Amino acid sequence: RIVAFASLRQVILVGHEKLVANLGQLGPVPLEVVPFGLATVLRELARIGHQATVRMHGGSRFLSDNGNVVVDCAAVPGGTLDPSGLEKLFLAIPGVVDTGLFLGTAERVLVGYPDGRVETLMRGVV
């Protein structure tokens, strides 16, 4: 996120299979959580109706580069049409450091297709 903030321009490259109508359709939203607050964050996520699981790797909790726990959180059943609201909701929970959402940071998104075609999505249109 620091690199994105410091950049003059951010371009994201994705395969066509990453495009979805609703956030959370393909998988969970990762949350970075301070280890001390993990139990509280999991309890609060459950209370507000979001199923969350601690990401595991090799039998241990998967940690971010900063030593925080990564939690995979189901956005909402069927996905959400309000990613910004969802991000604000998650970040308002004490102990959540950040989300895996990078909203409004890219100038453009380049979408690759199996036939070699590349579609360019511009900010405000994405």
Side-chain angles (χ1 to χ4, degrees):
R1 196 167 300 269
I2 293 170
V3 172
F5 178 79
S7 300
L8 296 176
R9 174 181 298 158
Q10 181 186 17
V11 177
I12 296 176
L13 309 172
V14 298
H16 72 285
E17 69 280 356
K18 294 288 187 177
L19 298 180
V20 294
N22 298 313
L23 181 66
Q25 271 183 290
L26 291 180
V29 174
L31 305 178
E32 185 175 356
V33 177
V34 176
F36 176 75
L38 180 61
T40 301
V41 169
L42 292 174
R43 230 181 354 264
E44 180 61 11
L45 288 168
R47 188 189 72 73
I48 61 176
H50 294 274
Q51 181 182 11
T53 57
V54 175
R55 186 179 297 180
M56 302 298 284
H57 180 72
S60 300
R61 292 178 179 165
F62 181 83
L63 301 180
S64 71
D65 293 341
N66 296 317
N68 293 316
V69 179
V70 176
V71 172
D72 290 318
C73 184
V76 290
T80 181
L81 294 175
D82 182 20
S84 180
L86 185 65
E87 183 176 50
K88 287 176 187 169
L89 178 73
F90 289 155
L91 291 174
I93 300 170
V96 174
V97 175
D98 209 347
T99 75
L101 302 173
F102 286 77
L103 305 177
T105 62
E107 173 188 289
R108 67 187 65 204
V109 176
L110 303 178
V111 183
Y113 291 86
D115 62 5
R117 181 172 48 92
V118 176
E119 179 181 9
T120 301
L121 305 174
M122 301 295 291
R123 185 184 302 192
V125 183
V126 176

